[in-house]
Amino acid sequence: MSTQDLKPALCILNPDDVYNLKNNHAEDSYYCITPYEALEMQSHGITFPVEPHLQEGLVLTREPHGRGYYYRTDETDCRVINERCLAIEAILSYLGGKEFRYSETSSFRSKHSADIDVELGGKKSGVEVDTNTNVNTSTNQGETGGKIVSAKWSGNYTHEGYLRAVELAKANGLISDPTIATLLEQRLPSHPNPIASQEYHVNVTADLDKSIHVLEDISANLQDKVGGHLKVDVNTSRKVDQSATVDFFVSFGPIPIEVTQKAIEDEKAASPGGKDKKWFWLVAALVTIIAISIVVYIVM
């Protein structure tokens, strides 16, 4: 089963309720599945929460990244936001970042005092990237619940580090964010004018806000149409704060000339025109060698 086939939310219901909805309220049955269908999805690698366990009436939200679903609460929202902020920090370190800081403009994060460990690149909390990319980090994070986080790095840039940054952006659901996508484009080694520093803003909860409305719709539409009670939590502090926009600043080290030249050569070789030219010169060289051999043979 492809992740593209996964719906933004699921409501697990009694088979009789699902049958009734599909036959009498088809428009309200889109997110509804039976426990047996959930187990079938699980057998295909789709993950479901251990707590709460699969049960009738449970409403689940699709994970922001990965193949599965989770039960949405204040704590899970806080975890997603922290994971994304840490992921952005790691992405920028891989892109050759030198100085980094961010501050949250909403009060959402400060309402949670629990310390949250996030594992990225092999080290928890303070992010340290893989050593084989030649990028060393030294991160000084503010206290959990604080507003300011800062970090300083050496600014080393490698093509392997850039590829790792792209992987992290995809894995954390950030690749589609226009700001992150622009930074990745402007830090390409083949870019003629790579960016040196920038201040920018990322709404790290846009998809969370959207899924809240989905949960609200499910709760409202099914309230009088199913027999049991729906287990869904839409009373999050995100309802008050609306969004968590994070203000970032980053400065970058220079991209080494040899990395730029290597990237340009690789792009030319990979392009259809580059391959055609390569074969053209190989054929031309072969024809020249044959012609010289014939002339030498005739002369002799």
Side-chain angles (χ1 to χ4, degrees):
M1 178 178 289
S2 170
T3 55
Q4 295 179 347
D5 300 327
L6 298 184
K7 299 172 183 178
L10 288 179
C11 181
I12 302 174
L13 295 175
N14 181 289
D16 291 337
D17 283 329
V18 174
Y19 178 83
N20 175 61
L21 287 169
K22 289 183 176 179
N23 285 274
N24 301 307
H25 308 281
E27 68 281 1
D28 297 325
S29 67
Y30 177 74
Y31 299 105
C32 302
I33 64 171
T34 68
Y36 308 108
E37 290 173 315
L39 291 174
E40 177 67 16
M41 293 174 66
Q42 203 168 33
S43 69
H44 286 87
I46 307 303
T47 60
F48 287 87
V50 176
E51 180 63 35
H53 64 277
L54 289 179
Q55 57 188 276
E56 295 175 6
L58 183 64
V59 180
L60 301 174
T61 301
R62 181 181 174 179
E63 292 179 356
H65 52 276
R67 293 169 53 85
Y69 291 87
Y70 69 102
Y71 183 66
R72 176 86 175 264
T73 64
D74 267 358
E75 287 71 26
T76 59
D77 277 3
C78 183
R79 179 176 294 276
V80 168
I81 291 172
N82 278 273
E83 285 179 350
R84 285 182 175 171
C85 289
L86 287 171
I88 290 173
E89 183 178 350
I91 288 167
L92 296 177
S93 73
Y94 277 113
L95 292 178
K98 292 184 65 178
E99 184 179 358
F100 166 80
R101 62 178 179 270
Y102 78 75
S103 60
E104 292 189 26
T105 55
S106 81
S107 58
F108 172 74
R109 178 180 173 134
S110 63
K111 292 183 180 179
H112 301 273
S113 58
D115 186 20
I116 296 178
D117 287 335
V118 177
E119 186 169 350
L120 283 173
K123 184 176 179 181
K124 293 184 178 179
S125 196
V127 177
E128 181 174 329
V129 297
D130 298 335
T131 55
N132 60 1
T133 59
N134 299 321
V135 182
N136 299 316
T137 72
S138 176
T139 304
N140 180 21
Q141 282 191 271
E143 295 180 0
T144 301
K147 292 293 181 180
I148 304 296
V149 176
S150 63
K152 286 187 177 181
W153 305 291
S154 59
N156 293 336
Y157 182 98
T158 65
H159 189 51
E160 293 81 6
Y162 178 85
L163 296 178
R164 177 60 178 155
V166 174
E167 288 179 8
L168 282 176
K170 291 178 179 178
N172 288 275
L174 293 165
I175 194 69
S176 59
D177 181 87
T179 300
I180 300 300
T182 299
L183 283 172
L184 289 171
E185 174 66 26
Q186 293 181 342
R187 291 298 289 175
L188 272 170
S190 58
H191 197 286
N193 188 27
I195 192 167
S197 66
Q198 185 177 12
E199 293 186 19
Y200 57 99
H201 315 281
V202 178
N203 184 344
V204 294
T205 63
D207 59 331
L208 298 181
D209 301 333
K210 185 176 181 180
S211 66
I212 275 286
H213 296 304
V214 172
L215 298 182
E216 286 180 326
D217 290 342
I218 292 175
S219 182
N221 294 339
L222 300 183
Q223 187 173 7
D224 301 323
K225 299 183 180 73
V226 297
H229 173 72
L230 294 182
K231 183 176 179 59
V232 56
D233 182 3
V234 294
N235 298 314
T236 71
S237 59
R238 308 250 333 76
K239 300 285 291 179
V240 177
D241 295 334
Q242 295 301 314
S243 66
T245 300
V246 183
D247 302 319
F248 291 88
F249 167 80
V250 63
S251 63
F252 294 101
I255 298 177
I257 295 176
E258 59 272 18
V259 175
T260 302
Q261 291 176 338
K262 180 67 165 55
I264 292 175
E265 291 172 3
D266 290 345
E267 286 186 9
K268 286 182 178 179
S271 66
K275 291 180 180 178
D276 292 342
K277 290 178 181 178
K278 181 179 178 181
W279 282 109
F280 171 81
W281 289 113
L282 285 174
V283 171
L286 182 61
V287 170
T288 301
I289 293 172
I290 293 173
I292 293 173
S293 299
I294 292 173
V295 170
V296 171
Y297 177 79
I298 293 174
V299 171
M300 292 178 64

